[in-house]
Amino acid sequence: MRVLILTGLSLAMLAACSQKSDRETLTEACIADGEAPETCDCITGAMEEKLSPDLFRRTAAAIGREKRDIEDFVESLSMSDQLEFAASLSAMISCELTLQDDE
């Protein structure tokens, strides 16, 4: 019985170690949508900085893990969450503009 419990705990720990961070998940989803990796890294960093930890976590889950459309996800948010998301848009847009200017 003890071996079974230890094996289960070991497997749970390994699964937790292999999970990607919210930032990695969002960056990969962005890249899969066709954006440049540098742009995606900048956008994800801006989101992580500007959004509350809870909204950032929920965004990563919806966009990165559940593969929901970002517009549908934002529309499903409460008004206060939508306003918080909107406040982060200028930082995300500046990522795209800055990296386009560098090319």
Side-chain angles (χ1 to χ4, degrees), residues 31-93:
I31 293 168
D33 277 347
E35 292 290 338
E38 299 82 16
T39 302
C40 292
D41 191 50
C42 180
I43 290 171
T44 305
M47 290 173 73
E48 187 173 31
E49 180 182 320
K50 301 289 184 185
L51 299 178
S52 68
D54 177 59
L55 184 53
F56 183 72
R57 179 189 52 75
R58 289 186 288 143
T59 302
I63 307 306
R65 293 183 183 92
E66 298 167 13
K67 308 296 185 215
R68 289 181 59 189
D69 178 70
I70 189 139
E71 290 178 32
D72 291 340
F73 169 69
V74 172
E75 288 176 6
S76 74
L77 296 173
S78 69
M79 183 57 71
S80 62
D81 284 346
Q82 286 181 13
L83 291 172
E84 184 180 336
F85 210 95
S88 71
L89 283 177
S90 63
M92 289 187 266
I93 290 170

Side-chain angles (χ1 to χ4, degrees), residues 24-35:
E24 290 171 322
T25 300
L26 280 172
T27 300
E28 288 177 2
C30 177
I31 293 168
D33 277 347
E35 292 290 338

